[in-house]
Short mmCIF file of all heavy atoms in Angstrom, two decimals:
data_model
loop_
_atom_site.label_atom_id
_atom_site.label_comp_id
_atom_site.label_asym_id
_atom_site.label_seq_id
_atom_site.Cartn_x
_atom_site.Cartn_y
_atom_site.Cartn_z
N THR P 1039 -1.28 -18.78 -2.32
CA THR P 1039 -0.09 -17.93 -2.59
C THR P 1039 -0.04 -17.52 -4.06
O THR P 1039 -0.56 -18.22 -4.89
CB THR P 1039 1.24 -18.66 -2.25
OG1 THR P 1039 1.38 -19.77 -3.17
CG2 THR P 1039 1.28 -19.14 -0.84
N PHE P 1047 -2.86 -21.79 -12.79
CA PHE P 1047 -3.45 -21.28 -14.05
C PHE P 1047 -2.58 -21.63 -15.28
O PHE P 1047 -3.09 -21.97 -16.33
CB PHE P 1047 -3.59 -19.76 -13.99
CG PHE P 1047 -4.84 -19.28 -13.31
CD1 PHE P 1047 -4.86 -18.43 -12.23
CD2 PHE P 1047 -6.08 -19.73 -13.77
CE1 PHE P 1047 -6.02 -17.99 -11.63
CE2 PHE P 1047 -7.29 -19.32 -13.13
CZ PHE P 1047 -7.22 -18.44 -12.09
N ASN P 1051 -3.62 -23.84 -18.56
CA ASN P 1051 -3.38 -23.47 -19.96
C ASN P 1051 -2.80 -24.63 -20.72
O ASN P 1051 -3.14 -24.86 -21.88
CB ASN P 1051 -2.37 -22.32 -20.00
CG ASN P 1051 -2.97 -20.98 -19.69
OD1 ASN P 1051 -4.16 -20.77 -19.83
ND2 ASN P 1051 -2.14 -20.06 -19.20
N GLU P 1115 -13.71 -9.20 -3.22
CA GLU P 1115 -12.31 -8.81 -3.42
C GLU P 1115 -11.77 -9.41 -4.75
O GLU P 1115 -11.11 -8.73 -5.57
CB GLU P 1115 -11.45 -9.28 -2.22
CG GLU P 1115 -9.96 -9.26 -2.41
CD GLU P 1115 -9.31 -7.89 -2.38
OE1 GLU P 1115 -10.02 -6.89 -2.20
OE2 GLU P 1115 -8.06 -7.82 -2.51
N ILE P 1119 -10.73 -7.57 -8.74
CA ILE P 1119 -9.50 -7.58 -9.53
C ILE P 1119 -9.78 -8.10 -10.94
O ILE P 1119 -9.19 -7.62 -11.92
CB ILE P 1119 -8.35 -8.36 -8.86
CG1 ILE P 1119 -7.00 -7.88 -9.35
CG2 ILE P 1119 -8.46 -9.86 -9.00
CD1 ILE P 1119 -6.65 -6.43 -9.00
N LYS P 1128 -17.56 -15.55 -16.47
CA LYS P 1128 -18.96 -15.74 -16.13
C LYS P 1128 -19.04 -15.70 -14.60
O LYS P 1128 -18.18 -16.27 -13.90
CB LYS P 1128 -19.42 -17.12 -16.60
CG LYS P 1128 -20.90 -17.41 -16.44
CD LYS P 1128 -21.68 -16.61 -17.40
CE LYS P 1128 -23.22 -16.88 -17.24
NZ LYS P 1128 -23.97 -15.88 -18.04
N MET P 1154 -13.39 -22.99 -26.48
CA MET P 1154 -12.20 -23.83 -26.74
C MET P 1154 -12.13 -24.36 -28.18
O MET P 1154 -11.14 -24.40 -28.85
CB MET P 1154 -12.14 -24.99 -25.75
CG MET P 1154 -12.00 -24.63 -24.34
SD MET P 1154 -10.46 -23.71 -23.97
CE MET P 1154 -9.27 -25.02 -24.32
N GLU P 1215 -29.76 -47.63 -47.71
CA GLU P 1215 -29.94 -47.07 -46.37
C GLU P 1215 -30.99 -45.92 -46.36
O GLU P 1215 -31.86 -45.83 -45.51
CB GLU P 1215 -28.59 -46.55 -45.83
CG GLU P 1215 -28.64 -46.10 -44.37
CD GLU P 1215 -27.31 -45.42 -43.96
OE1 GLU P 1215 -26.23 -45.88 -44.39
OE2 GLU P 1215 -27.43 -44.42 -43.23
N LEU P 1271 -27.18 -29.84 -57.30
CA LEU P 1271 -26.79 -29.08 -56.13
C LEU P 1271 -26.87 -30.03 -54.93
O LEU P 1271 -27.83 -30.73 -54.77
CB LEU P 1271 -27.79 -27.93 -55.90
CG LEU P 1271 -27.61 -27.12 -54.63
CD1 LEU P 1271 -26.33 -26.38 -54.59
CD2 LEU P 1271 -28.80 -26.11 -54.42
N VAL P 1339 -31.59 -28.08 -45.06
CA VAL P 1339 -32.03 -27.94 -43.66
C VAL P 1339 -31.69 -29.26 -42.95
O VAL P 1339 -31.90 -30.35 -43.50
CB VAL P 1339 -33.54 -27.66 -43.57
CG1 VAL P 1339 -33.96 -27.53 -42.11
CG2 VAL P 1339 -33.95 -26.42 -44.40
N LYS P 1347 -42.14 -37.85 -39.48
CA LYS P 1347 -41.55 -38.57 -40.61
C LYS P 1347 -40.68 -37.63 -41.49
O LYS P 1347 -40.95 -36.47 -41.68
CB LYS P 1347 -42.67 -39.11 -41.50
CG LYS P 1347 -43.21 -40.43 -41.02
CD LYS P 1347 -44.21 -40.96 -42.01
CE LYS P 1347 -44.99 -42.09 -41.39
NZ LYS P 1347 -46.30 -42.30 -42.11
N SER P 1379 -27.12 -14.62 -36.11
CA SER P 1379 -26.55 -14.18 -37.36
C SER P 1379 -25.29 -13.42 -37.04
O SER P 1379 -25.24 -12.49 -36.22
CB SER P 1379 -27.52 -13.24 -38.06
OG SER P 1379 -26.94 -12.64 -39.20
N LEU P 1380 -24.16 -13.88 -37.61
CA LEU P 1380 -22.87 -13.24 -37.47
C LEU P 1380 -22.61 -12.40 -38.71
O LEU P 1380 -22.58 -12.92 -39.80
CB LEU P 1380 -21.78 -14.27 -37.26
CG LEU P 1380 -20.38 -13.73 -37.04
CD1 LEU P 1380 -20.25 -13.01 -35.70
CD2 LEU P 1380 -19.35 -14.85 -37.10
N ARG P 1386 -15.89 -4.39 -37.60
CA ARG P 1386 -16.06 -5.37 -36.50
C ARG P 1386 -17.07 -6.40 -36.90
O ARG P 1386 -17.89 -6.20 -37.83
CB ARG P 1386 -16.51 -4.65 -35.23
CG ARG P 1386 -17.93 -4.03 -35.36
CD ARG P 1386 -18.28 -3.28 -34.11
NE ARG P 1386 -19.63 -2.82 -34.04
CZ ARG P 1386 -20.10 -1.69 -34.66
NH1 ARG P 1386 -19.27 -1.02 -35.44
NH2 ARG P 1386 -21.32 -1.31 -34.55
N ILE P 1427 -33.61 -6.14 -38.63
CA ILE P 1427 -33.23 -5.30 -39.79
C ILE P 1427 -32.36 -4.14 -39.34
O ILE P 1427 -31.34 -3.85 -39.95
CB ILE P 1427 -34.48 -4.91 -40.57
CG1 ILE P 1427 -34.98 -6.16 -41.33
CG2 ILE P 1427 -34.17 -3.74 -41.54
CD1 ILE P 1427 -36.35 -6.00 -41.96
N ALA P 1432 -28.62 -11.05 -41.09
CA ALA P 1432 -28.70 -11.69 -42.41
C ALA P 1432 -30.01 -12.44 -42.59
O ALA P 1432 -30.80 -12.59 -41.66
CB ALA P 1432 -27.55 -12.66 -42.59
N GLU P 1444 -28.21 -16.63 -23.73
CA GLU P 1444 -27.13 -16.37 -22.78
C GLU P 1444 -25.85 -17.10 -23.19
O GLU P 1444 -24.78 -16.52 -23.19
CB GLU P 1444 -27.59 -16.83 -21.37
CG GLU P 1444 -26.53 -16.58 -20.28
CD GLU P 1444 -27.03 -17.05 -18.93
OE1 GLU P 1444 -28.21 -17.41 -18.76
OE2 GLU P 1444 -26.18 -17.06 -17.99
N GLN P 1445 -25.99 -18.35 -23.60
CA GLN P 1445 -24.80 -19.10 -24.00
C GLN P 1445 -24.11 -18.50 -25.24
O GLN P 1445 -22.91 -18.34 -25.30
CB GLN P 1445 -25.20 -20.56 -24.31
CG GLN P 1445 -25.46 -21.35 -23.06
CD GLN P 1445 -25.99 -22.74 -23.39
OE1 GLN P 1445 -26.98 -22.87 -24.10
NE2 GLN P 1445 -25.35 -23.76 -22.89
N MET P 1453 -15.23 -13.89 -27.33
CA MET P 1453 -14.48 -13.63 -28.54
C MET P 1453 -14.17 -12.14 -28.72
O MET P 1453 -13.49 -11.75 -29.66
CB MET P 1453 -15.34 -14.09 -29.76
CG MET P 1453 -15.63 -15.56 -29.85
SD MET P 1453 -14.18 -16.59 -30.09
CE MET P 1453 -14.25 -17.61 -28.61
N LYS P 1470 -32.06 0.87 -30.57
CA LYS P 1470 -31.38 1.90 -31.38
C LYS P 1470 -30.28 2.58 -30.56
O LYS P 1470 -29.20 2.88 -31.07
CB LYS P 1470 -32.41 2.93 -31.91
CG LYS P 1470 -33.21 2.35 -33.05
CD LYS P 1470 -34.16 3.38 -33.67
CE LYS P 1470 -33.43 4.29 -34.64
NZ LYS P 1470 -34.35 5.10 -35.44
#
Side-chain angles (χ1 to χ4, degrees):
T1039 64
F1047 274 126
N1051 283 335
E1115 164 76 0
I1119 203 66
K1128 186 75 180 169
M1154 295 299 294
E1215 187 188 320
L1271 175 65
V1339 180
K1347 277 187 194 158
S1379 173
L1380 181 68
R1386 66 185 187 279
I1427 285 169
E1444 181 180 351
Q1445 286 173 306
M1453 297 295 120
K1470 285 184 80 167

